[in-house]
Amino acid sequence: MKLLEDKILNEGIVLGQDILKVDGFINHQIDVSFMEELGKDMAEYFQGQGITKVFTIESSGIAPAVFTAKYLNVPMVILKKQASKNLKTQVWQTEVVSYTKDLSYELTLAKEYISDTDHILIVDDFLANGEAATGAVRLIRKAHATIAGVGVLIEKSFQPGREKLESQGISVYAQAQIRDFENGKVRF
Ligand code: G4P
């Protein structure tokens, strides 16, 4: 998607060999009109597939997921990285290891927000190692719901996220695919 590629080229900052800093419009400050355009494009890509809910992983996936859900006209559900303190809540949980951030967490979803008739689109900001997305897939499968696909703003194609998902039969749409970083410059 040219709009996103241009924004990355103009405002993204390459850190070291494999990190793209996009704090100015995705991860810290959000360019809301721009994000709405991304959400609209995401919804158009997946429309007509009977999607009943959009799921995302807190926190940076929330903004693109909100706008995707708005244009698909379905609810958006946030998968939490910490269990609710409310002991009465029945939850599905799975452990996710984040290699980029060198930590792990229990991805958590209250059972009341998913059912076996749901057909779910997972939306996130980055697809890198694919640990967050495959964690979301495990949770959805635990609840016997089905998965329409995974939509991300930025895929780092030199990392194994897409392969992990596609090998499980899950379709992936990335609005920008980064081939590599050469001398501090992004190559799509
Ligand atoms: P995954 O996201 O594909 O599972 O890979 P990994 O476990 O390696 O990534 C862990 C976290 O690092 C994720 O954020 C992911 O979005 C973020 N990340 C990976 N590569 C980049 C990058 O090049 N630039 C930026 N800005 N972030 C990257 P998270 O822990 O879910 O945090 P949050 O930002 O959603 O709160």
Side-chain angles (χ1 to χ4, degrees):
M1 192 188 176
K2 188 165 185 318
L3 181 73
L4 178 55
E5 290 181 354
D6 287 346
K7 189 91 163 167
I8 290 169
L9 290 176
N10 291 331
E11 298 180 34
I13 298 164
V14 176
L15 296 179
Q17 292 300 305
D18 58 3
I19 296 292
L20 176 70
K21 193 170 173 188
V22 285
D23 278 10
F25 58 103
I26 294 177
N27 287 137
H28 200 355
Q29 168 173 272
I30 293 170
D31 182 332
V32 177
S33 303
F34 166 78
M35 192 61 81
E36 181 156 15
E37 285 304 309
L38 300 188
K40 195 174 170 191
D41 174 80
M42 193 70 79
E44 280 167 4
Y45 183 87
F46 285 101
Q47 75 188 357
Q49 296 190 29
I51 290 163
T52 59
K53 287 185 180 178
V54 174
F55 276 25
T56 193
I57 300 115
E58 63 175 343
S59 60
S60 299
I62 294 173
V66 161
F67 287 117
T68 305
K70 174 183 168 180
Y71 285 95
L72 286 171
N73 197 24
V74 296
M76 190 276 278
V77 175
I78 303 163
L79 302 179
K80 307 273 191 169
K81 289 177 179 166
Q82 278 187 331
S84 162
K85 291 189 176 70
N86 180 352
L87 296 177
K88 285 192 200 136
T89 307
Q90 296 281 309
V91 294
W92 297 109
Q93 284 191 308
T94 189
E95 191 186 11
V96 170
V97 178
S98 163
Y99 295 106
T100 304
K101 295 192 175 168
D102 194 23
L103 51 82
S104 68
Y105 53 86
E106 285 289 336
L107 197 64
T108 302
L109 164 65
K111 289 189 176 180
E112 65 195 283
Y113 301 123
I114 190 166
S115 80
D116 59 6
T117 58
D118 276 321
H119 191 49
I120 294 165
L121 172 63
I122 300 164
V123 171
D124 209 352
D125 57 339
F126 273 90
L127 180 61
N129 288 298
E131 290 303 313
T134 51
V137 166
R138 283 196 300 279
L139 274 194
I140 292 166
R141 288 185 168 158
K142 277 186 187 201
H144 303 290
T146 54
I147 297 153
V150 172
V152 296
L153 308 186
I154 303 171
E155 172 189 351
K156 296 193 291 182
S157 308
F158 54 88
Q159 291 186 267
R162 175 181 288 267
E163 200 182 307
K164 275 188 202 166
L165 291 163
E166 288 183 343
S167 68
Q168 296 184 49
I170 291 163
S171 77
V172 177
Y173 172 52
Q175 292 174 320
Q177 284 181 292
I178 296 179
R179 181 156 46 118
D180 59 18
F181 301 121
E182 195 189 47
N183 301 323
K185 289 253 184 304
V186 177
R187 292 201 303 180
F188 296 107

